[in-house]
Amino acid sequence: MKNKRKNYIRIAFYSSLLLLPLYAFLIEPKWVIVKHIRLSDNPTLKIVHFSDLHYKGDKEFLDKIVRKINYINPDIVCYTGDFVEDNAFLAGALESLSKIKKPLYGVPGNHEYWHNVDFKKIEEVFIKTGGHFISSENGGTISIKNMNIYLVHYPDFADDLNAKYNLILAGHSHGGQIRIPFFGALILPYKAKKYDKGLFETKDGTLSVNPGIGTFFIPARFFCRPELTVIEL
């Protein structure tokens, strides 16, 4: 009886080891979470923040993201960089993003520079939504309802703004993509070593780092689901 029980435990253990990669590669990368953050007792502005699409042609998935954003019905939508890894996918990404029904504001990421993405094409789509695309690697400020919000791709830039903001939004880190419970991210990219995922208080304001929608290098996520962050300010 004891041997049977031990065998069951072994089978369960090794089965779980086999299932973990399947979960990390096939399930979690598409399992989008909508995270709600309230930063004021009487909020007057609702923002949806997302980042790092790394769009590779999965139109059904991106359209699902856009529908979720429209269902949330924010006042504005903010995007913090890395649309695609190949210019061939830019038109498809922008076609889906053009369906966002609220003003869309954003900044470029490192991949836009690496792949010489045409910023004018991005700007045209953002303007049509009533928003604006800030074509600077250092990010920039948008002012909505007497609030100053700084958009930047790299989270660690939040320490060098030298001004006060109601909110700072960043991406780039992907939250590490692979996170171990009680340990955190296994690997983080440059310029995202200090602030990797979630909310942080900095000398220049509250920073929210979105863990991104897509993946880079390894098409997997573990304990780091793709996220739409809803912030009430």
Side-chain angles (χ1 to χ4, degrees):
M1 196 68 163
K2 285 185 177 179
N3 287 336
K4 279 189 176 181
R5 190 179 295 116
K6 286 182 179 179
N7 285 335
Y8 288 142
I9 292 171
R10 288 193 188 99
I11 291 169
F13 175 73
Y14 288 117
S15 296
S16 67
L17 291 182
L18 292 172
L19 289 172
L20 284 178
L22 292 175
Y23 169 79
F25 281 87
L26 299 179
I27 297 176
E28 188 164 312
K30 303 296 184 183
W31 189 17
V32 179
I33 186 173
V34 178
K35 182 178 180 181
H36 292 264
I37 299 171
R38 190 167 182 163
L39 298 178
S40 170
D41 291 333
N42 298 293
T44 58
L45 182 66
K46 183 163 76 170
I47 303 165
V48 167
H49 174 213
F50 70 123
S51 192
D52 298 87
L53 286 173
H54 290 269
Y55 180 71
K56 303 174 182 71
D58 190 345
K59 190 174 188 302
E60 183 180 350
F61 180 58
L62 182 51
D63 284 344
K64 178 183 175 182
I65 296 295
V66 170
R67 286 195 299 271
K68 282 181 178 288
I69 291 171
N70 288 334
Y71 178 78
I72 294 165
N73 192 31
D75 295 302
I76 62 169
V77 181
C78 295
Y79 182 77
T80 46
D82 280 359
F83 292 85
V84 294
E85 294 167 33
D86 188 321
N87 273 330
F89 295 117
L90 181 62
L94 293 178
E95 193 274 332
S96 292
L97 293 178
S98 70
K99 298 174 185 175
I100 291 176
K101 296 178 180 178
K102 296 292 181 176
L104 177 60
Y105 297 87
V107 292
N110 49 299
H111 282 270
E112 276 71 75
Y113 288 95
W114 291 355
H115 300 286
N116 296 311
V117 167
D118 188 345
F119 287 175
K120 288 184 179 178
K121 291 180 180 178
I122 301 174
E123 188 174 6
E124 286 172 5
V125 169
F126 279 48
I127 288 174
K128 284 181 181 178
T129 68
H132 179 57
F133 184 70
I134 302 166
S135 55
S136 169
E137 189 174 19
N138 294 322
T141 306
I142 61 171
S143 297
I144 308 288
K145 296 185 179 182
N146 296 319
M147 295 182 189
N148 290 323
I149 302 166
Y150 199 87
L151 307 183
V152 65
H153 184 60
Y154 305 108
D156 291 354
F157 276 19
D159 284 336
D160 301 315
L161 301 182
N162 298 316
K164 290 291 183 181
Y165 294 93
N166 299 97
L167 183 65
I168 306 163
L169 300 177
H172 183 57
S173 71
H174 293 219
Q177 282 188 199
I178 307 297
R179 298 180 72 89
I180 304 302
F182 309 110
F183 177 80
L186 289 181
I187 300 174
L188 289 166
Y190 69 106
K191 301 177 184 176
K193 301 294 187 182
K194 186 174 180 181
Y195 305 118
D196 63 344
K197 180 178 181 287
L199 278 184
F200 303 90
E201 290 301 327
T202 77
K203 63 181 178 61
D204 293 331
T206 300
L207 166 67
S208 179
V209 182
N210 181 273
I213 297 295
T215 59
F216 175 64
F217 190 62
I218 299 174
R221 284 181 175 269
F222 188 69
F223 278 91
C224 190
R225 289 165 61 184
E227 179 178 304
L228 294 173
T229 313
V230 182
I231 304 171
E232 293 184 90
L233 189 62

